[in-house]
Amino acid sequence: MLIIPEREIADLMTRDAAFDAVSGVFAAMASQDAYNFPVIREAIGHEDALFGFKGGFDKTGMALGLKTGGYWPHNMEKHGAINHQSTIFLFDPDTGKVRAMVGGNLLTALRTAAASSVSIKHLARKDAKVIGMIGAGHQATFQLRAALEQRAFEKVIGWNYHPDMLPNLEKVAAQAGLPFEAVELDQLGHEADVIISITSAFAPSLMDAHVSPGTHIACMGTDTKGKQEVEPKLLARATVFTDEVAQSITIGEAQHAIAEGLITQSDVHQLGAVINAAHAGRTSDDEITLFDGTGVGLQDLAVAARVVDLAVKKGVAIEIDF
């Protein structure tokens, strides 16, 4: 078995490689050449933590495995560690033998950012100039860096439940040579051409009335029953896309619009179908498009498989007899 420690990931995985891996697996899912296993995600009754498993099998990339881990909300304050913790396991699809164990913390951040970035490439207006960020935590900085590579943005605006964290976004914007402005939610919704929401909220912050025609929204924080970032009426007004429909309607942002009878499962489309040209995607400059990024196990397997190959080539993979 190969072990790729967390400490090696930053020197192995790039945003471009993550983008290609995630885009490829979305396309494979839409072609029914890859599928995810049911997600297990539970509160463990200790440290307010959520723990679970995501897995799947990609017949195109021959990636079989799972990611295990979750969210420990007190890690940073108590232990100086990031709140999201995960490890990815890959198996040989021909024999079932374990192939690799890969540190999943940075990879999770990179693949999540890649997913919203893929949605921006395929769904945002070509002339998008202002990007709005809802959320300013650790993951938000990855989201913003990846998103800025997809359009010629001229300004970054942001809002966060805790305003003292907004300098995280301002720093990324400054590194890209862009101005940053802290705004209220209604201003963000009206000014932004692209909005990324990346929070752990259980109540909506972005409301339907906030959002202007032509906006693309990537909802990246809702991945559990009860979580919610946007008002359900917004999904009824938008054309909705997702990584996986089954997750979107049960643990993603669409769960709430479905529960209120505002949309049906048939109103939620796979982003991979747009990549494969089986769905037209955005059809007008006034259309609101929304990507419900629930986070699928196949994303983790795709980036982990890429890292294993790179680690072997660079000689940094640790091999053990298991």
Side-chain angles (χ1 to χ4, degrees):
M1 180 176 74
L2 300 175
I3 299 176
I4 319 298
E6 184 70 37
R7 65 176 181 270
E8 303 289 352
I9 304 299
D11 292 330
L12 294 171
M13 198 62 174
T14 64
R15 284 194 297 274
D16 286 343
F19 182 97
D20 290 343
V22 170
S23 183
V25 84
F26 283 173
M29 288 167 58
S31 300
Q32 298 185 337
D33 292 321
Y35 63 96
N36 294 283
F37 304 149
V39 174
I40 296 174
R41 189 170 173 86
E42 300 290 341
I44 66 172
H46 179 70
E47 291 292 340
D48 299 319
L50 294 172
F51 181 73
F53 305 89
K54 289 183 175 181
F57 177 46
D58 179 359
K59 290 184 284 186
T60 301
M62 293 300 286
L64 171 68
L66 59 89
K67 180 177 80 171
T68 178
Y71 184 69
W72 272 256
H74 310 303
N75 268 7
M76 186 60 67
E77 59 185 278
K78 287 187 174 181
H79 309 291
I82 65 171
N83 295 341
H84 290 90
Q85 293 290 325
S86 59
T87 305
I88 302 163
F89 295 87
L90 297 174
F91 297 83
D92 184 339
D94 293 326
T95 66
K97 294 180 64 176
V98 63
R99 179 188 176 211
M101 180 175 74
V102 184
N105 292 346
L106 179 57
L107 284 183
T108 297
L110 288 170
R111 66 82 152 152
T112 306
S116 63
S117 184
V118 171
S119 82
I120 293 169
K121 176 181 178 179
H122 291 281
L123 297 173
R125 296 195 330 268
K126 300 300 182 186
D127 65 347
K129 299 300 183 185
V130 178
I131 182 166
M133 296 293 303
I134 298 175
H138 177 74
Q139 177 64 60
T141 60
F142 288 89
Q143 293 282 330
L144 183 54
R145 289 190 188 97
L148 290 176
E149 296 173 346
Q150 296 306 317
R151 291 292 186 271
F153 290 109
E154 298 177 353
K155 183 180 180 181
V156 180
I157 57 179
W159 178 90
N160 192 54
Y161 284 102
H162 304 288
D164 59 304
M165 297 178 69
L166 287 171
N168 293 336
L169 300 177
E170 186 174 15
K171 181 178 179 180
V172 175
Q175 290 170 344
L178 297 177
F180 173 81
E181 182 183 358
V183 298
E184 295 301 322
L185 280 168
D186 57 347
Q187 182 182 345
L188 186 147
H190 284 118
E191 288 189 12
D193 303 306
V194 172
I195 299 171
I196 298 176
S197 182
I198 180 71
T199 72
S200 56
F202 282 80
S205 52
L206 186 67
M207 310 304 283
D208 179 47
H210 293 155
V211 178
S212 299
T215 306
H216 173 63
I217 306 152
C219 300
M220 305 304 298
T222 300
D223 57 3
T224 303
K225 286 185 178 180
K227 274 190 173 183
Q228 186 176 12
E229 297 191 287
V230 305
E231 186 179 21
K233 284 197 298 184
L234 182 55
L235 276 76
R237 188 156 66 107
T239 305
V240 181
F241 299 87
T242 190
D243 36 28
E244 185 181 68
V245 174
Q247 283 194 185
S248 175
I249 65 175
T250 55
I251 64 171
E253 202 64 43
Q255 65 180 288
H256 306 287
I258 291 280
E260 293 186 18
L262 297 173
I263 65 172
T264 66
Q265 179 173 330
S266 63
D267 294 316
V268 183
H269 313 281
Q270 285 184 289
L271 179 57
V274 182
I275 298 170
N276 290 340
H279 190 290
R282 172 179 292 276
T283 57
S284 77
D285 286 345
D286 289 335
E287 183 178 8
I288 295 174
T289 53
L290 185 146
F291 175 63
D292 186 10
T294 64
V296 295
L298 286 171
Q299 290 173 255
D300 300 296
L301 305 187
V303 292
R306 188 73 61 93
V307 159
V308 170
D309 291 342
L310 291 170
V312 170
K313 288 180 182 178
K314 292 191 175 183
V316 296
I318 301 169
E319 186 172 3
I320 64 170
D321 185 12
F322 182 78

